[in-house]
Amino acid sequence: DAGAGDEDDNVIVPGTAPGFEPFQMNVDGELVGFDIDLLEAVVAETDYELGDWEELEFDSLQPALENGNIDVIAAAMTITEERQESIAFSEPYYSADQSVLVQTGGDVQAEELEDLEGLEVGAQSGTTGEGIVDEELGDAVDYTSYDNYVLAVEELERGTLDAIVIDEPVGDSFAGDRDVEVAFTFETGEEYGFAIRQGEEEIQDALSEGIEAVEESGEYDEITQEWFGE
Ligand code: ARG
């Protein structure tokens, strides 16, 4: 291996998609969030070093990983069988369900997905939320795909969109600081993992062991406390 001993071999370049609070967002021009702190803590447990963060749209992350522009995705990305056909994941680091958000005090009354039939519904392009709308509601709703959930939340606030489907912890966060509220939550049992290319077993094992190490050291709880106040 000609590269052995070359320090660059140990640098892994992380990619994320901000606008997904509190997992990754820009605050005063700085990239911050649960996933940012967690991946940094996890990599500090390994022999790897983290390169500079690349910020992309969510649906550009997987192609960027596959073509080698980034080496790891930390973007609250759910481990799914479909994604595992082309990329690999670390052990899970967070569990989440989905919520439906509506305008605070608006006229949309919804308690289950079927109640969204006939309405204008949005989600972020390439997300599991988008997949659920497609599978469960299909043509029964007027669907719009957004590059970023922040854009969808703004349309909800303006009343130009009826509802969005979004990961529950992120929906709770937007409901806390925007004019939107959680209409209902439904169980999906999703688990987030750090994504890597297939065949990168060394990085995969290092990340999984790093997750375990930060869970055992109490650092995982500290990071959770910082971003979720739990
Ligand atoms: N957990 C969902 C998924 O994997 C949504 C992730 C969106 N992440 C983001 N950084 N915008 O599809």
Side-chain angles (χ1 to χ4, degrees):
D1 176 6
D6 179 348
E7 267 178 44
D8 286 346
D9 275 0
N10 284 332
V11 175
I12 50 181
V13 176
T16 191
F20 207 63
E21 59 186 57
F23 294 97
Q24 49 264 180
M25 64 266 201
N26 286 114
V27 175
D28 299 330
E30 214 196 318
L31 178 68
V32 297
F34 178 89
D35 282 0
I36 311 307
D37 286 352
L38 184 65
L39 184 65
E40 285 174 1
V42 164
V43 171
E45 298 286 342
T46 72
D47 291 334
Y48 292 97
E49 259 175 60
L50 218 49
D52 290 335
W53 285 88
E54 292 283 340
E55 300 179 27
L56 300 167
E57 302 295 2
F58 185 73
D59 64 5
S60 302
L61 288 169
Q62 191 174 323
L65 177 67
E66 290 181 60
N67 71 28
N69 286 348
I70 57 176
D71 302 309
V72 58
I73 299 171
M77 187 178 264
T78 304
I79 302 169
T80 67
E81 278 177 21
E82 194 183 337
R83 289 173 181 157
Q84 281 173 314
E85 284 170 15
S86 33
I87 55 175
F89 287 90
S90 67
E91 287 302 308
Y93 65 82
Y94 200 89
S95 304
D97 292 317
Q98 296 277 323
S99 287
V100 167
L101 292 186
V102 296
Q103 186 187 37
T104 305
D107 351 290
V108 178
Q109 301 289 339
E111 284 167 16
E112 54 180 5
L113 281 175
E114 282 164 20
D115 295 336
L116 302 181
E117 286 177 6
L119 300 181
E120 294 186 29
V121 178
Q124 184 178 28
S125 178
T127 58
T128 49
E130 177 171 81
I132 289 162
V133 176
D134 185 42
E135 277 161 38
E136 305 289 325
L137 296 163
D139 291 339
V141 295
D142 182 357
Y143 179 71
T144 306
S145 184
Y146 293 88
D147 280 345
N148 197 298
Y149 271 116
V150 176
L151 300 170
V153 166
E154 284 166 1
E155 296 227 11
L156 269 193
E157 287 183 304
R158 280 197 288 271
T160 46
L161 181 68
D162 294 316
I164 66 177
V165 178
I166 187 167
D167 295 36
E168 181 190 14
V170 182
D172 289 345
S173 182
F174 280 126
D177 52 40
R178 301 281 196 142
D179 263 347
V180 296
E181 62 189 11
V182 177
F184 64 94
T185 292
F186 57 100
E187 203 176 316
T188 57
E190 289 172 63
E191 293 191 304
Y192 301 164
F194 297 125
I196 59 264
R197 279 179 293 282
Q198 289 188 344
E200 298 272 15
E201 271 94 17
E202 257 176 66
I203 300 181
Q204 188 177 21
D205 291 347
L207 293 175
S208 293
E209 283 162 26
I211 291 169
E212 217 169 285
V214 299
E215 281 172 354
E216 276 165 23
S217 71
E219 228 176 324
Y220 183 94
D221 289 339
E222 279 168 33
I223 295 169
T224 304
Q225 173 69 33
E226 169 158 7
W227 295 104
F228 294 94
E230 281 163 9

